[in-house]
Amino acid sequence: MHGPAMVAPSRLTPSTTLHLQRLAGNAAVTRALAGSAGRTVPPGQQDEPVATFPPQPVGAPAALAEAAGTVQRTIGDGHDLTNRRFAGDAVLEAAFDNERFVRVGSTGPAVSKLQQAMVDIGLDLPKFGVDAKFGPETKSRVQAFQRSAGIVDDGIVGPITMGEFNRRIPGGGPPPPPPPPPPPPLLTTTTVAAAPDGGPSSRRRVGSGEFVDLAASAPVTWTVTAGTLTIASGPATRWTAPETGSVTVTATPASGPPATLALTVVPPDGISMTRDVVNPIPAGQAGADMLTDVDFGHRDVSFARVQWLEDPGPPSGVNGYFRSGKGSAMDLNHHPNPAFVTLRADNHFKHDHCGSGFPLAPPFFRLFPPPPFFGGGWTWFIPNRFRVLGSGTAGTFFFRSAQVFAVDSVGTTTVSKQGASITRTRAGAVT
């Protein structure tokens, strides 16, 4: 069908060209632009003959195309593809400029780009995939794309369809790789109390009940596998260690991976003593009495928030006068301080009282005149418990200490406990 004769304007713009095309078809456009200089598609990308009106089949003789006239435009003339997926591809630029069609029978990189673009927007090619061959499956997907764009669904990629590809395919190119995930927040720890050995405050090995300040390089939500936190969210919090165990701290930011750190909590594991004060006993009376400085291991953590308690109990290994003589009537049971005491920041406690139970009144020699008096002794094996300050618990057993008493037949008395010792004669000499 022929329309009214069209007079080509002296200068064609892209909008004028498309208007002519819609009114009178490609033939009018090719006649209007006949003889205009332009570019040709590089031979390596010529997978579809130059568009004519009516369109020529793939492989049509060049003479037929020349007889119908051609439309040739130049990349950079203001009518170019802007989508990075397609821009600069000579075949697709030619289709956009109405110089050629991409359709059934076309092959090559340009077809692959169209296929991949359709797959990326959900128009899958389940049978052949992106194979660089424009077959019936690809045509059906092009038709689906055309229908979604509201244009004629002929399955042929010409200027209008290529323009819709340029405009509607998202991303302006292949989807960029996802950005690398942000690094986890940086965590730091600061112990509130110093360790007796002078170790750094950043240490991750701590004593029972220690305070540790936690800080993150960004606001986070804090969780711990044991112990307690002052606040659960924010860039910083304070953690109170439990009595013992391995603890994992997790700091989870609003986005990105969480950060974790491991802390090891150690309880006191032993007691050693040194004699610090000698308590006087009147001359002529048997007995020995001292106050000790008590040291709790370990030295690389702080027990400033640890409390200590000795349990009462009966004597063991009672022998000599205290088993067979008149001393057997004495109360030899251990009667310690009934309340927990708090250790110092250097993991020491002052003072533990260690005495033989003397002086006696009336004087020793009056209670034990010879020959009925003779030597003897006994031992206390003392259970020791600890707890975290403020916990209010009954405490946890951690060590059994030994306190030994001995007296000879002339009243020289020795008391020893966990490394501390005192020996006193009846006359008052102390070693």
Side-chain angles (χ1 to χ4, degrees):
M1 178 176 181
H2 298 281
M6 302 298 296
V7 178
S10 59
R11 182 175 181 275
L12 289 178
T13 66
S15 60
T16 304
T17 302
L18 290 175
H19 181 67
L20 283 173
Q21 179 184 349
R22 292 179 179 126
L23 290 178
N26 291 335
V29 178
T30 56
R31 286 193 295 272
L33 298 178
S36 61
R39 61 134 174 89
T40 60
V41 180
Q45 299 189 46
Q46 289 181 359
D47 60 353
E48 175 64 29
V50 173
T52 62
F53 189 84
Q56 299 298 305
V58 175
L64 295 180
E66 291 173 0
T70 61
V71 178
Q72 296 180 333
R73 302 186 66 176
T74 304
I75 295 176
D77 62 0
H79 185 259
D80 298 315
L81 296 171
T82 57
N83 191 309
R84 291 197 306 272
R85 288 179 180 266
F86 315 119
D89 185 292
V91 172
L92 300 180
E93 294 279 5
F96 187 47
D97 289 341
N98 200 33
E99 296 175 5
R100 68 190 310 123
F101 297 144
V102 183
R103 58 184 181 181
V104 172
S106 299
T107 60
V111 176
S112 293
K113 293 175 184 179
L114 295 174
Q115 289 174 324
Q116 186 62 58
M118 291 188 292
V119 168
D120 289 345
I121 63 172
L123 297 174
D124 294 335
L125 300 164
K127 187 173 182 180
F128 296 105
V130 179
D131 62 353
K133 299 176 182 179
F134 199 124
E137 183 179 54
T138 299
K139 178 180 178 180
S140 70
R141 296 303 183 267
V142 171
Q143 289 175 309
F145 173 79
Q146 290 170 323
R147 288 191 293 271
S148 69
I151 59 178
V152 176
D153 58 341
D154 57 5
I156 298 173
V157 180
I160 296 176
T161 300
M162 194 64 235
E164 294 299 324
F165 268 105
N166 185 64
R167 183 170 68 88
R168 291 176 177 271
I169 298 298
L186 177 65
L187 303 185
T188 58
T189 64
T190 304
T191 54
V192 174
D197 69 354
S201 61
S202 59
R203 56 190 166 85
R204 303 286 174 86
R205 178 178 162 95
V206 300
S208 302
E210 273 206 69
F211 287 144
V212 180
D213 288 334
L214 306 172
S217 57
V220 296
T221 297
W222 300 94
T223 57
V224 291
T225 55
T228 59
L229 298 167
T230 55
I231 60 173
S233 298
T237 188
R238 174 169 287 184
W239 172 67
T240 302
E243 284 190 351
T244 187
S246 296
V247 178
T248 299
V249 177
T250 302
T252 305
S255 61
T260 61
L261 60 86
L263 295 163
T264 301
V265 185
V266 296
D269 66 351
I271 292 176
S272 62
M273 296 183 179
T274 55
R275 190 174 75 192
D276 191 43
V277 176
V278 174
N279 288 331
I281 294 176
Q285 294 182 352
D289 201 355
M290 64 179 172
L291 300 179
T292 65
D293 183 3
V294 188
D295 177 55
F296 296 80
H298 308 268
R299 304 290 295 167
D300 59 341
V301 301
S302 173
F303 294 137
R305 300 191 68 253
V306 168
Q307 294 187 304
W308 168 52
L309 179 70
E310 290 184 330
D311 284 341
S316 299
V318 180
N319 62 87
Y321 182 80
F322 303 100
R323 178 179 178 85
S324 304
K326 292 183 179 180
S328 61
M330 295 177 61
D331 179 8
L332 302 182
N333 290 324
H334 181 215
H335 299 286
N337 183 348
F340 277 93
V341 295
T342 303
L343 309 188
R344 299 187 322 193
D346 61 358
N347 298 357
H348 281 253
F349 177 77
K350 287 182 180 282
H351 288 110
D352 182 53
H353 180 216
C354 303
S356 65
F358 305 114
L360 298 175
F364 182 86
F365 67 88
R366 292 179 59 186
L367 281 181
F368 306 119
F373 173 73
F374 50 94
W378 72 92
T379 301
W380 288 336
F381 292 106
I382 306 168
N384 292 266
R385 287 182 282 151
F386 80 96
R387 71 181 184 186
V388 173
L389 178 65
S391 66
T393 68
T396 300
F397 170 82
F398 73 100
F399 187 73
R400 192 177 299 276
S401 58
Q403 184 168 339
V404 180
F405 302 87
V407 61
D408 66 15
S409 59
V410 296
T412 299
T413 304
T414 298
V415 180
S416 62
K417 186 176 183 181
Q418 294 305 121
S421 179
I422 181 171
T423 298
R424 177 185 175 276
T425 68
R426 186 172 154 187
V430 174
T431 56

